[in-house]
Amino acid sequence: MHRASSGLGDRRVFRTGARLAAVGTAAAVSLAVAVAAQAAPGSVPHQVPTPQHHHFSAAVSRVGSAGTIPDRVARVEQALQSSGPGLQQAYDTAPLYANRIDGTGLTIATLVAFGDKSAQSYLDQYDADNGLPAATVQTIEPSGAVPACTDPGVNTSDCQSWGGETDLDISMIHTLAPGAKILIIATPVSETEGVTGFPELLSAMDYTVTNHLADVISMSMGTPEDDFASSAQLHDLDSHFKNATDHGVTVLASSGDDGADGMQLDGSTLWGKPVVSFPADESYVTAVGGTELSLDGNGNRTQADVLWPQSGGGVSHEFAIPAWQQSTASATGAAGRSLPDITMEGTSGTSESSPLMAAIVGLADQSAGHDLGLINPALYAIGPNGTGSGVVDVTSGCNTTASVTGFCAGTGFDIASGWGTIDAAAFVPALVAASTPSSSLRVDVGGGRAGHIQVLAKQ
């Protein structure tokens, strides 16, 4: 049964401290044991070396290495193709803001390792530089207390890069959903390709959705399907994404930054064959790829978007074609779940793309008066309508690498760019209209903001 909620008060309470850490740690340990059991001797199809570190984009690593908050902000802004207001213009969010659809009453989360302990100060500076309203940043640590990057036993460089990832994520969420509350779900163990780090991450996600702490969760991370020791080890994680869907929470994930290829566990060697990224390949997840925007100084497009050549994408060999992707698979010839589903700006990595799309989903949740949950069925329903539903085709660019022939964008749905990109002013109402309806009574909560009281039926 979905929750009944005003969307305004129940997500303001966060359980922190020793009790939260103990609950999260116990869940993480339980999940780790289950994962280890699935990867028992005899089920391993290939040798799995010890993972070294997470594969970050160059832009994220550069942000993470900055010594001061102003420098971190400057490096994020340098990585973008436009200012914050420019991105709002590029994705046509102004008509939504004019109708008080700005994310107010919603909580949008980013799920990361380590996080950034100075995230609030960082976002305050980013807002000041970009003329954005102030936002509240809340950090929770459900899988255990997160150490400082300089603590003994912590890979300082990795930890700092996760801080850069966190800063980029919250910047993109706040840019397109400036009224939303931002939640950082931080874990104490780095995700370093393969299963390492995922037990803690998914335990933290379970805690978040079960306690109704977020409406939308973005995951700016991933690892090739082939980095898992076995299919069983990978699919042991499926239930956590279904759990989010069952709780009405939308989960989005970056499609990857290595084109049609992907990084092995050593963090430096490419597979040299077509691979796709987990968890973007999950049927309960919306996979977001990257594009290159051509904008003038005000955020107006000077030409159509093209696929970012490093945008991850391809066809899964672990997940069958979902029901909502049957028609596109018939057209593309894909033998499994293809990804991405949609694309957003990604020249600093698709870790920029996912939080941008998460912000758009937050706007749609507010407009609907309830959480939309898994948006893929609705997305694939409106995709064929094109610009009439705010779906803007991306028709050029390929993700071929030096050693792997990839996929190219073309007219209509394609494996490289999914449905293309979006025009938020038309996309948000179309997505809401295509989603499963629920009973919702909208009310004015004062202060010039729109709110709602929601009643959801049993499922």
Side-chain angles (χ1 to χ4, degrees):
M1 180 175 69
H2 280 302
R3 62 190 180 278
S5 166
S6 68
L8 298 173
D10 59 335
R11 299 183 184 93
R12 305 285 182 178
V13 180
F14 294 85
R15 300 172 183 176
T16 57
R19 179 173 177 273
L20 183 154
V23 171
T25 301
V29 170
S30 176
L31 178 55
V33 170
V35 171
Q38 288 288 352
S43 67
V44 180
H46 56 263
Q47 293 298 314
V48 182
T50 301
Q52 299 300 311
H53 57 80
H54 181 77
H55 178 44
F56 295 101
S57 70
V60 162
S61 295
R62 189 166 181 272
V63 173
S65 65
T68 66
I69 287 176
D71 192 17
R72 292 173 83 88
V73 173
R75 293 186 186 193
V76 166
E77 292 169 343
Q78 290 164 8
L80 305 177
Q81 290 180 277
S82 182
S83 64
L87 286 172
Q88 292 177 346
Q89 175 67 21
Y91 289 110
D92 193 22
T93 55
L96 297 172
Y97 301 159
N99 286 312
R100 301 180 182 176
I101 302 300
D102 63 357
T104 295
L106 278 295
T107 298
I108 303 174
T110 179
L111 178 60
V112 292
F114 298 117
D116 176 14
K117 294 184 183 297
S118 61
Q120 185 68 65
S121 297
Y122 163 83
L123 194 61
D124 290 344
Q125 183 67 58
Y126 177 82
D127 292 344
D129 284 6
N130 287 273
L132 295 170
T136 300
V137 180
Q138 176 78 38
T139 297
I140 60 172
E141 302 174 357
S143 294
V146 174
C149 290
T150 55
D151 282 356
V154 176
N155 183 319
T156 299
S157 176
D158 225 31
C159 180
Q160 289 175 339
S161 292
W162 277 110
E165 180 66 74
T166 303
D167 293 345
L168 178 62
D169 289 355
I170 65 176
S171 300
M172 296 301 93
I173 291 169
H174 186 50
T175 293
L176 294 190
K181 184 170 184 176
I182 298 172
L183 177 66
I184 299 170
I185 312 166
T187 66
V189 179
S190 180
E191 182 268 302
T192 56
E193 309 297 324
V195 75
T196 303
F198 271 109
E200 292 79 9
L201 287 163
L202 298 185
S203 170
M205 184 173 76
D206 283 345
Y207 180 90
T208 302
V209 302
T210 301
N211 289 281
H212 317 311
L213 302 183
D215 305 276
V216 184
I217 298 175
S218 175
M219 300 182 71
S220 291
M221 67 187 76
T223 187
E225 292 176 336
D226 299 70
D227 282 352
F228 287 88
S230 66
S231 291
Q233 189 186 64
L234 185 157
H235 289 293
D236 187 67
L237 306 176
D238 294 346
S239 62
H240 303 280
F241 299 96
K242 182 179 185 300
N243 181 51
T245 295
D246 289 345
H247 281 80
V249 177
T250 306
V251 180
L252 306 97
S254 304
S255 67
D257 297 346
D258 295 304
D261 207 335
M263 198 65 67
Q264 296 187 37
L265 283 172
D266 62 10
S268 60
T269 306
L270 293 167
W271 276 102
K273 65 179 182 178
V275 296
V276 295
S277 182
F278 172 90
D281 57 354
E282 281 275 352
S283 298
Y284 296 105
V285 171
T286 300
V288 190
T291 59
E292 293 181 342
L293 280 62
S294 296
L295 307 175
D296 64 20
N298 296 317
N300 298 303
R301 283 176 168 77
T302 58
Q303 65 180 50
D305 297 3
V306 300
L307 186 76
W308 180 51
Q310 293 172 251
S311 179
V315 180
S316 172
H317 59 70
E318 290 291 341
F319 291 91
I321 301 166
W324 38 264
Q325 207 175 55
Q326 289 288 341
S327 61
T328 59
S330 297
T332 63
R337 191 264 202 265
S338 71
L339 57 145
D341 302 303
I342 201 75
T343 53
M344 300 288 280
E345 183 187 92
T347 50
S348 62
T350 57
S351 55
E352 174 192 359
S353 312
S354 182
L356 283 171
M357 189 63 194
I360 297 298
V361 176
L363 300 181
D365 283 355
Q366 184 193 2
S367 179
H370 59 87
D371 294 346
L372 299 184
L374 179 66
I375 66 167
N376 293 356
L379 173 60
Y380 280 72
I382 67 175
N385 299 335
T387 54
S389 291
V391 178
V392 182
D393 204 1
V394 173
T395 60
S396 61
C398 304
N399 69 350
T400 294
T401 70
S403 58
V404 177
T405 299
F407 301 89
C408 295
T411 302
F413 183 91
D414 54 71
I415 293 174
S417 69
W419 288 108
T421 189
I422 62 105
D423 179 313
F427 178 82
V428 164
L431 187 70
V432 171
S435 300
T436 302
S438 67
S439 176
S440 179
L441 173 66
R442 300 188 67 83
V443 298
D444 183 2
V445 297
R449 300 292 189 184
H452 63 269
I453 293 175
Q454 176 195 1
V455 179
L456 288 173
K458 293 183 179 179
Q459 291 199 42

